[in-house]
Amino acid sequence: MRRLLVFLLEVIFSQLLLAQQSQLEADISVFENRLNIHKNHSDSYLMDLNRLSILYIKQGNIDKADSLNKLVTKSLLPGFSVTNPVVHGALDIRGLIYFALNDIEEAQRIWTLSLSLKQRFFPRKKGWVAESYSYIARTYNYLIEIDSALLYSEKAVALLNQCSKAERLTINAPEILRTYIYAYKISNMRGNEKVVCLQVAEKLDSI
């Protein structure tokens, strides 16, 4: 009975992954078609390029994400304004690219810069600030600096709880919660259980 249950869970999980992958490919196709038809340098167009970059990162296509991110950055230079939301989106994506390439120090530096800019110019955009806190927490999770990861992820969740339902839909709320849960679970482990978990994490990070 137990083996059957495990088998069924594996089948369900595999189907879920396939469904997510299919949806991701469909989303990418929609954005690619839309952007090919309406090529321009408007903020809305650049926002869509940012969204497509994130989809490429989820797909594991870092080269395409990197190319789009550089295109957005180049397009922003003529009328550059630090108060333009596209700028902060591009910064966050640059951090995601470095994170995907395992350059954690550079990802953390970029996300810290993005956080300071959001706090200064968009203090009422609690969801945006929450994402930056969560990104930084993710780097500390990777570095197995759990106290710092928990500190930043708690700040992210606190801000997330202040967001309206509409604002939550504009950010990656599930990822913010996942980052917090990971840090919380490890920080609350006891004795040998925590040591073993951290040792496993170190080995995985070294692969």
Side-chain angles (χ1 to χ4, degrees):
M1 182 66 181
R2 186 174 180 179
R3 288 183 179 178
L4 177 61
L5 181 59
V6 171
F7 173 74
L8 289 173
L9 287 173
E10 287 177 346
V11 171
I12 292 171
F13 184 66
S14 297
Q15 289 178 337
L16 179 61
L17 286 177
L18 286 173
Q20 289 178 336
Q21 184 64 27
S22 297
Q23 184 60 52
L24 179 59
E25 290 174 358
D27 291 342
I28 288 174
S29 179
V30 168
F31 270 100
E32 286 177 337
N33 290 334
R34 183 196 306 173
L35 293 169
N36 284 332
I37 294 171
H38 304 290
K39 286 187 177 180
N40 57 68
H41 294 290
S42 67
D43 284 350
S44 61
Y45 181 80
L46 296 178
M47 278 287 198
D48 278 345
L49 287 180
N50 278 343
R51 295 185 183 103
L52 182 56
S53 295
I54 291 174
L55 293 177
Y56 281 142
I57 292 170
K58 288 181 179 179
Q59 190 185 42
N61 198 333
I62 307 304
D63 288 340
K64 280 192 174 181
D66 182 55
S67 295
L68 282 186
N69 186 250
K70 288 176 179 175
L71 175 61
V72 170
T73 303
K74 184 178 179 180
S75 299
L76 287 167
L77 288 177
F80 182 82
S81 171
V82 75
T83 60
N84 187 339
V86 180
V87 172
H88 305 284
L91 263 180
D92 287 341
I93 290 165
R94 177 51 49 184
L96 287 170
I97 291 168
Y98 278 116
F99 190 86
L101 295 173
N102 290 328
D103 191 342
I104 309 305
E105 183 178 347
E106 187 63 14
Q108 189 179 84
R109 185 189 71 80
I110 289 172
W111 284 333
T112 300
L113 172 61
S114 179
L115 171 63
S116 65
L117 291 173
K118 289 175 185 177
Q119 288 175 320
R120 180 175 179 183
F121 296 104
F122 300 98
R124 294 185 180 180
K125 295 286 188 179
K126 298 184 186 300
W128 293 2
V129 178
E131 278 197 312
S132 286
Y133 275 124
S134 185
Y135 284 142
I136 296 170
R138 195 186 303 182
T139 65
Y140 283 120
N141 273 335
Y142 184 96
L143 296 169
I144 320 175
E145 297 179 17
I146 303 304
D147 290 341
S148 295
L150 188 60
L151 174 66
Y152 278 88
S153 57
E154 282 179 341
K155 290 181 178 181
V157 171
L159 286 170
L160 182 64
N161 288 334
Q162 298 174 38
C163 292
S164 64
K165 289 183 179 179
E167 188 174 5
R168 287 189 185 191
L169 293 175
T170 66
I171 60 175
N172 195 344
E175 188 59 40
I176 290 173
L177 294 174
R178 269 193 294 270
T179 301
Y180 167 71
I181 290 168
Y182 180 88
Y184 179 83
K185 285 175 67 176
I186 293 183
S187 69
N188 284 277
M189 287 179 178
R190 299 179 181 177
N192 291 334
E193 185 182 20
K194 184 173 183 178
V195 171
V196 170
C197 184
L198 292 177
Q199 288 173 344
V200 171
E202 284 178 342
K203 289 180 180 178
L204 289 174
D205 289 340
S206 67
I207 295 175

